[in-house]
Amino acid sequence: MSDRIPEEMVEEIRKKTDIVDVISDYVQLKKQGRNYFGLCPFHGENSPSFSVSPEKQIFHCFGCGAGGNVYSFLMDHDGVSFKEAVVIAGSKIGMDISLQQDETANETDGNTKQLYKDQQDAHELLAKFYHHLLMNTEEGQHALEYMLQRGFTEEQLKQFRIGWALPSWDFTSELLKKRGFDLSSMEQAGLIIKRDNGSYFDRFRERIMFPVENDRGQTVAFSGRIINSDKKDEPKYLNSPETPLFQKNKILFNYHRARGAIRREQSVVLFEGFADVISSNEWTANGIATMGTSLTVQHIGLIKRLTGQVIICYDGDKAGYEAAFKAARELASSGLKVKVALLPNGMDPDDYIQKKGGQAFKQEIIDSSVSEMAFKMHYFRSKNNLSSEDGRLSYIKSVLKEISSLKETIDREFYIKQLSDEFNLSVEGLSQQMMSITPQDETAKEIQQPKPSGVFQWRSTLLPAYLTAERHLIAHMMANEDTAYTVQNLLSGKTMNKDEHQAIFTYLLAYYEEGHHSDAGAFVHMLPDRHLRAIATEINMMDINPEVGSDELNDYVAEVLKYQKLLKIKEKEVEEKEAERKNDFRKAAEIGMEIIQLRKALKR
């Protein structure tokens, strides 16, 4: 293949890219000291062990070992090739990279990319055109008046680029044809439909049009709402079909607009529908919604990029409670903190805003949201008849089962006390019943399991002295080229005790021999093995004294060599015992003398 990106450009992009900015689009990061920390996107965890160094432009997870530079992160997280990672990083700093495609090997791939680009351009064109029809034409006047009467403001209509599709059967298809778009491609994109006779007609007609945008703000689909009450045989909402551009399980409405507000508020409000997001946006700018589908793993992954807390605000009816209960479970199991906003009397967010106003909605509903456990108690209360004995027992057992899953002792005690007060039952009896639901040994194991904090410190306290010394030597060698050669001379041909450390040592010397200078991100990237990259990145994250002296280096080297001498002594001790077992006392005595000499050398 000839689509090679020049090495100079790869390095230029890497040096100009701020790894913290890039990873912040995927992970919620908080600064602690010189580095940034967050929950690792590569494995499930509840305490942050994922670290990003802006100074060294590398990342490392002290939990699962993932690490590398900005390219490594994009490759591992997005599942893209190295070239694609360079292109993505380049786009983030405004460098548009055009790869020279091999005509035979990449013709299909190039055609596919062009097809997606055309479909993307068509969606953007129609989003602008539909919006213009609603806001600025006589044809859209009655639709505009309808939206204003429904409580939407002109500012909201402009912000979300809401539009109007004409009643015509072929206006959109003719527009696309005149603009040079291939109609078969537009059919694949879900914008038009093909008749049996080969002609095309518009999918969206006489509907309020809501553009659906991906996490980069690109329009990838539409949702059209009918406003003509006479057309009862047609669906109230008509959505674009799923296409390579638009996949519901990967799209969260308003995600790209809400990103900044979510980070500022350190929480996200999850709605059921985009109308709720739009109507509440002035007061809850951190609102997003799924696109008419259940919450998916991909949705949760998008949320975890930005925040650790979710406020669920679904409709206040039975279906809304059921959906909120399911969503709360899925979000909490992924490590997110969950709260639920409770709406009264079967109202939805838009209803509440229209009746009481946006400020009241913010204060009385969103800001007054309850904990996940409090919502579950509310949910079970609604499903049981508490005026009957069976209903009360069913409710208590359901709540106890949920309480038993709480990790914090104080939380369990709080809610058991609440149950005790509500039904005049003893705390001891409720606790005993709860323990029968979850075996005591499993509960104790879950309660007593320590939460990892500062995993790096944990690792360093457990490592033997010789491994700590080797890690410090490598850290100083990666920080300074001259130090690397000094350490090489001090070792005098001896190798490091850990194979991975010796491999990194060898690759680092080769890196400097090729004329490269000290650069953690560049060196880590050139390591050929993922495991080595993880170890090298973790070592790079160590806090070391940049002004290391010869005495300190000598001490580290002495510790490395000391361990090798200890191993030699242990080896000789085994040989001595074997000789004694065979009654070869002369050989045993000779080996004993060797051991004495080795121990003297060790002391020196």
Side-chain angles (χ1 to χ4, degrees):
M1 295 178 64
S2 60
D3 53 343
R4 180 180 177 276
I5 304 175
E7 187 63 33
E8 298 80 11
M9 182 176 289
V10 172
E11 275 301 287
E12 181 184 359
I13 292 172
R14 187 185 63 79
K15 289 179 179 178
K16 287 184 177 180
T17 301
D18 186 339
I19 193 171
V20 175
D21 285 345
V22 173
I23 294 181
S24 290
D25 285 341
Y26 302 83
V27 179
Q28 182 191 11
L29 296 175
K30 292 183 179 179
K31 190 171 185 181
Q32 295 179 16
R34 296 162 65 180
N35 295 338
Y36 290 78
F37 289 85
L39 296 176
C40 180
F42 302 113
H43 80 288
E45 62 176 10
N46 295 324
S47 297
S49 60
F50 182 84
S51 177
V52 184
S53 169
E55 179 185 348
K56 298 174 180 177
Q57 290 295 300
I58 56 176
F59 74 94
H60 179 74
C61 175
F62 295 106
C64 69
N69 61 12
V70 66
Y71 298 142
S72 308
F73 180 86
L74 291 170
M75 290 165 67
D76 291 344
H77 190 280
D78 292 352
V80 298
S81 67
F82 170 69
K83 293 168 189 170
E84 290 171 317
V86 176
V87 172
I88 294 171
S91 67
K92 292 179 181 294
I93 60 171
M95 289 184 66
D96 186 17
I97 303 172
S98 299
L99 301 180
Q100 293 182 351
Q101 302 289 335
D102 181 88
E103 292 185 0
T104 55
N106 296 308
E107 183 176 357
T108 302
D109 184 56
N111 290 340
T112 301
K113 288 181 179 178
Q114 185 59 48
L115 176 67
Y116 290 169
K117 185 179 185 303
D118 289 345
Q119 294 176 353
Q120 177 66 67
D121 291 344
H123 277 89
E124 190 59 33
L125 169 68
L126 292 179
K128 293 177 180 177
F129 184 71
Y130 291 145
H131 182 62
H132 171 75
L133 286 174
L134 178 70
M135 304 300 295
N136 303 303
T137 67
E138 291 184 10
E139 292 91 337
Q141 184 62 33
H142 70 295
L144 176 61
E145 291 174 357
Y146 171 85
M147 294 298 286
L148 296 176
Q149 288 171 3
R150 283 289 309 273
F152 292 96
T153 66
E154 287 197 22
E155 182 59 34
Q156 289 171 337
L157 300 179
K158 291 176 183 178
Q159 183 178 0
F160 290 89
R161 302 198 299 170
I162 298 171
W164 170 248
L166 296 172
S168 169
W169 282 84
D170 61 0
F171 189 90
T172 297
S173 54
E174 287 297 318
L175 173 65
L176 293 171
K177 183 178 179 181
K178 289 178 182 178
R179 292 296 182 95
F181 291 100
D182 178 68
L183 294 189
S184 64
S185 172
M186 298 300 100
E187 181 197 13
Q188 293 175 32
L191 296 172
I192 57 178
I193 300 173
K194 190 174 184 179
R195 295 187 178 96
D196 292 339
N197 63 7
S199 63
Y200 295 91
F201 65 94
D202 301 350
R203 177 179 297 275
F204 299 102
R205 304 177 305 279
E206 201 172 2
R207 288 178 180 270
I208 299 292
M209 298 298 288
F210 297 88
V212 178
E213 294 149 334
N214 62 19
D215 59 347
R216 295 186 297 277
Q218 300 168 322
T219 305
V220 294
F222 290 99
S223 182
R225 189 194 192 283
I226 201 165
I227 62 173
N228 191 337
S229 58
D230 296 335
K231 298 186 177 183
K232 296 180 180 179
D233 56 332
E234 295 189 27
K236 181 178 179 181
Y237 281 96
L238 179 64
N239 298 325
S240 293
E242 292 214 344
T243 68
L245 282 182
F246 172 55
Q247 298 173 49
K248 292 180 182 179
N249 66 342
K250 297 179 181 178
I251 297 289
L252 287 169
F253 184 80
N254 198 45
Y255 181 84
H256 72 287
R257 288 191 191 87
R259 183 183 280 119
I262 293 170
R263 288 203 178 104
R264 287 194 303 273
E265 298 289 334
Q266 296 187 12
S267 67
V268 62
V269 180
L270 180 64
F271 293 102
E272 279 189 278
F274 49 81
D276 297 329
V277 173
I278 296 169
S279 61
S280 67
N281 185 253
E282 182 180 346
W283 299 276
T284 55
N286 56 334
I288 59 173
T290 52
M291 289 300 302
T293 184
S294 299
L295 204 63
T296 66
V297 174
Q298 292 89 341
H299 291 147
I300 294 173
L302 286 170
I303 291 171
K304 290 182 75 173
R305 292 181 185 181
L306 304 178
T307 184
Q309 177 171 279
V310 181
I311 300 172
I312 300 172
C313 187
Y314 285 0
D315 294 352
D317 55 14
K318 182 179 179 181
Y321 278 4
E322 293 290 346
F325 184 81
K326 181 181 178 183
R329 275 192 182 281
E330 293 170 349
L331 290 163
S333 65
S334 72
L336 289 163
K337 181 180 179 182
V338 178
K339 300 179 75 175
V340 181
L342 299 175
L343 283 155
N345 305 322
M347 299 178 74
D348 62 32
D350 187 41
D351 293 334
Y352 197 95
I353 292 170
Q354 299 306 320
K355 184 177 181 180
K356 294 195 172 184
Q359 192 64 40
F361 172 75
K362 178 70 166 60
Q363 293 176 349
E364 299 170 10
I365 303 299
I366 301 301
D367 293 346
S368 301
S369 55
V370 300
S371 69
E372 179 193 5
M373 188 63 224
F375 165 70
K376 287 178 177 178
M377 294 176 77
H378 185 87
Y379 169 80
F380 288 124
R381 193 176 287 111
S382 70
K383 291 177 70 68
N384 291 281
N385 180 10
L386 299 189
S387 62
S388 71
E389 182 179 335
D390 288 344
R392 289 194 296 273
L393 285 173
S394 175
Y395 168 74
I396 292 169
K397 289 177 181 178
S398 296
V399 173
L400 282 175
K401 184 177 180 181
E402 295 297 330
I403 294 174
S404 71
S405 66
L406 296 174
K407 294 182 179 180
E408 300 291 339
T409 302
I410 190 171
D411 292 342
R412 289 194 298 276
E413 290 181 351
F414 176 84
Y415 289 111
I416 286 177
K417 181 66 165 60
Q418 194 168 316
L419 270 184
S420 171
D421 293 342
E422 185 176 2
F423 294 98
N424 197 26
L425 297 169
S426 72
V427 170
E428 293 76 13
L430 290 171
S431 298
Q432 187 174 357
Q433 177 69 20
M434 184 188 72
M435 297 305 287
S436 70
I437 296 172
T438 302
Q440 185 173 359
D441 57 341
E442 289 186 16
T443 305
K445 187 188 301 182
E446 185 175 15
I447 298 168
Q448 294 171 9
Q449 185 175 4
K451 292 183 178 180
S453 63
V455 182
F456 173 74
Q457 288 82 356
W458 172 77
R459 285 283 304 272
S460 64
T461 56
L462 292 182
L463 287 176
Y466 75 93
L467 285 182
T468 300
E470 289 182 0
R471 287 160 61 88
H472 276 85
L473 286 173
I474 293 173
H476 285 296
M477 291 172 67
M478 285 193 283
N480 186 282
E481 180 181 352
D482 293 335
T483 302
Y485 291 116
T486 299
V487 173
Q488 182 186 30
N489 292 332
L490 290 173
L491 284 171
S492 302
K494 298 289 194 304
T495 60
M496 292 192 174
N497 297 286
K498 186 178 177 67
D499 290 341
E500 290 89 342
H501 290 173
Q502 180 60 33
I504 294 170
F505 176 87
T506 304
Y507 279 117
L508 184 57
L509 290 174
Y511 173 79
Y512 288 137
E513 288 292 339
E514 291 172 1
H516 298 292
H517 299 292
S518 174
D519 187 323
F523 170 66
V524 167
H525 173 68
M526 62 83 61
L527 289 171
D529 178 76
R530 180 190 293 261
H531 182 54
L532 289 182
R533 287 199 296 271
I535 294 174
T537 309
E538 181 178 358
I539 293 173
N540 250 313
M541 288 290 186
M542 294 170 59
D543 284 328
I544 58 173
N545 176 16
E547 303 297 330
V548 62
S550 58
D551 289 344
E552 185 177 349
L553 291 177
N554 275 296
D555 287 343
Y556 290 141
V557 171
E559 199 64 54
V560 172
L561 299 180
K562 174 183 175 182
Y563 181 72
Q564 295 176 6
K565 292 173 184 176
L566 285 171
L567 289 180
K568 188 68 174 176
I569 291 172
K570 289 180 180 179
E571 181 185 324
K572 287 296 180 182
E573 287 174 341
V574 172
E575 291 179 9
E576 183 183 29
K577 288 181 180 179
E578 180 65 17
E580 290 173 349
R581 190 182 66 81
K582 293 180 178 180
N583 295 322
D584 190 347
F585 298 109
R586 176 176 291 183
K587 184 176 181 181
E590 292 174 354
I591 295 173
M593 291 302 295
E594 289 184 53
I595 293 173
I596 291 172
Q597 295 302 317
L598 286 170
R599 284 176 176 163
K600 286 181 178 179
L602 191 61
K603 290 180 180 180
R604 290 197 300 268

